[in-house]
Amino acid sequence: MKETILSLTPQYWEDYELIDTGGFEKLERFGPYILSRPEPQAIWDKSMSSEEWKNMSHAIFAKEKNNPEKGQWIEQKKIPHNWQIKYNNQDQVKLTFNLAMTSFKHIGLFPEQAVNWDYISDTLKKFPIKNPKILNLFAYTGAASIAARAAGAEVTHLDSVKQVVTWSKHNMESSNLNDIRWIVDDAMKFIKREVRRGNKYHGIILDPPAYGRGPDGEKWILEEQINEMLKLCAELLEQEHHFLILNMYSLSFSSIIAANLVNSNFKEVNNAEHGELYLVDRFEKKLPLGIFFRFRKIK
């Protein structure tokens, strides 16, 4: 069986740009502001000098010595604590995101995921049903949720962290949308209850971390639990018009592993695609940023 493994990068960004990568860092523009952040996969040399990076940056993230996951932002130029950027795709889906510099180096957005926002809006546009039901698990600040809502879906958004759910609400409101259903819960516990209730969804989006904690301290380990989660998702997915998107960021995982997981748990996998998401900098260096598997059925 011939199989094509894809490498996909966003096509419609105007407010975001990956400027340079290397030396385990990345230099990015979010709207008018340029940030320098750690990037463990950028193991090659920078194309620009470190001095050029420093001169361009509005803020640089400095990691803590004893905890590489945390740190602080060192401002080089005046930059607001919060600001907005916009994303518009070819389907006229218009999204607005609220960004902020956090102590975990994140700013509330993963720009490479625009590839999947486009896939969501394109799929929902082709569904011959009104208000399809979408479940977004590990939904973070809700970019995929508002992309689905903007395309007319009835969206359930779940994350275990109350603060990021609040952040998601701000993104929804800033995008002139409403009526997303917000859930603060452990993803595994929630979908087990949904299966018992007999609920179904036309689309499921999973973006699980390698490690995580639920609101009551529930432990999530990707390698140990993703197979069970996909079994449950197979019971939640409508048989007719449907789609599923799985993203994973574990450095030890390939998209072939994602393909095996999905194909072994779903009876019907139509129009499947899998591979890597990446961003490309000004010097044509490609930065890999996770793997994906997605499929859809449209009658």
Side-chain angles (χ1 to χ4, degrees):
M1 182 180 69
K2 288 188 176 180
E3 185 174 37
T4 301
I5 299 177
L6 303 175
S7 296
L8 302 181
T9 193
Q11 302 297 315
Y12 305 108
W13 270 117
E14 293 184 5
D15 276 3
Y16 172 81
E17 180 187 9
L18 182 62
I19 299 170
D20 193 11
T21 56
F24 301 97
E25 294 180 299
K26 56 187 174 183
L27 188 67
E28 304 166 283
R29 177 181 62 83
F30 293 90
Y33 304 110
I34 295 175
L35 305 178
S36 175
R37 296 193 285 171
E39 177 47 65
Q41 300 211 88
I43 64 175
W44 47 86
D45 290 336
K46 297 175 180 177
S47 296
M48 298 162 55
S49 70
S50 295
E51 191 65 26
E52 288 176 297
W53 276 48
K54 185 175 180 181
N55 290 337
M56 290 182 70
S57 297
H58 287 81
I60 299 170
F61 187 84
K63 294 185 290 185
E64 290 183 3
K65 288 183 179 180
N66 298 327
N67 185 354
E69 297 300 317
K70 291 191 69 175
Q72 62 178 337
W73 291 92
I74 301 170
E75 292 189 20
Q76 306 294 307
K77 304 175 186 177
K78 189 173 181 180
I79 180 171
H81 181 69
N82 300 282
W83 72 101
Q84 292 183 337
I85 65 171
K86 298 182 181 296
Y87 178 77
N88 302 332
N89 70 12
Q90 62 180 351
D91 292 327
Q92 300 303 308
V93 169
K94 299 180 179 181
L95 311 177
T96 299
F97 304 111
N98 297 280
L99 307 184
M101 296 182 292
T102 74
S103 61
F104 291 92
K105 83 178 178 181
H106 298 301
I107 62 163
L109 189 69
F110 295 99
E112 71 279 1
Q113 286 296 325
V115 166
N116 283 325
W117 311 335
D118 297 343
Y119 182 86
I120 291 165
S121 60
D122 177 69
T123 301
L124 292 174
K125 183 178 66 173
K126 293 175 179 175
F127 273 2
I129 51 177
K130 189 176 181 181
N131 306 126
K133 294 177 63 178
I134 307 302
L135 174 62
N136 188 8
L137 298 169
F138 308 97
Y140 191 47
T141 55
S145 296
I146 64 173
R149 186 72 188 99
E154 185 180 302
V155 180
T156 297
H157 169 113
L158 182 144
D159 198 276
S160 64
V161 181
K162 185 176 181 180
Q163 293 92 326
V164 297
V165 171
T166 300
W167 197 333
S168 302
K169 291 179 183 178
H170 293 157
N171 286 335
M172 178 190 70
E173 293 162 357
S174 297
S175 299
N176 296 313
L177 298 168
N178 54 32
D179 294 335
I180 290 176
R181 179 190 180 202
W182 309 105
I183 305 288
V184 178
D185 202 351
D186 176 74
M188 189 72 84
K189 285 183 175 179
F190 177 79
I191 61 172
K192 285 179 178 178
R193 290 199 303 271
E194 288 293 89
V195 168
R196 290 197 297 269
R197 292 166 181 150
N199 287 334
K200 298 287 185 180
Y201 294 89
H202 297 95
I204 299 176
I205 305 157
L206 299 101
D207 203 348
Y211 304 97
R213 291 282 183 181
D216 296 320
E218 301 92 342
K219 185 183 291 187
W220 167 265
I221 300 174
L222 181 67
E223 289 87 346
E224 296 179 5
Q225 293 167 281
I226 187 61
N227 190 50
E228 180 186 1
M229 177 162 283
L230 288 170
K231 278 184 172 67
L232 294 165
C233 287
E235 296 187 57
L236 291 176
L237 201 62
E238 284 280 4
Q239 289 190 348
E240 293 303 320
H241 318 288
H242 61 236
F243 74 86
L244 180 132
I245 299 172
L246 171 64
N247 296 295
M248 293 191 290
Y249 297 93
S250 173
L251 296 180
S252 63
F253 273 24
S254 74
S255 68
I256 294 174
I257 291 177
N260 288 338
L261 282 164
V262 174
N263 287 320
S264 66
N265 283 304
F266 289 80
K267 293 179 181 178
E268 189 177 16
V269 179
N270 297 277
N271 306 304
E273 300 176 339
H274 70 93
E276 286 191 272
L277 301 182
Y278 72 93
L279 295 170
V280 58
D281 67 20
R282 288 181 183 178
F283 305 93
E284 302 301 318
K285 300 192 301 294
K286 295 178 179 178
L287 177 65
L289 290 161
I291 62 169
F292 72 93
F293 188 101
R294 61 194 191 187
F295 67 88
R296 62 185 179 183
K297 180 180 179 183
I298 305 169
K299 280 195 173 183

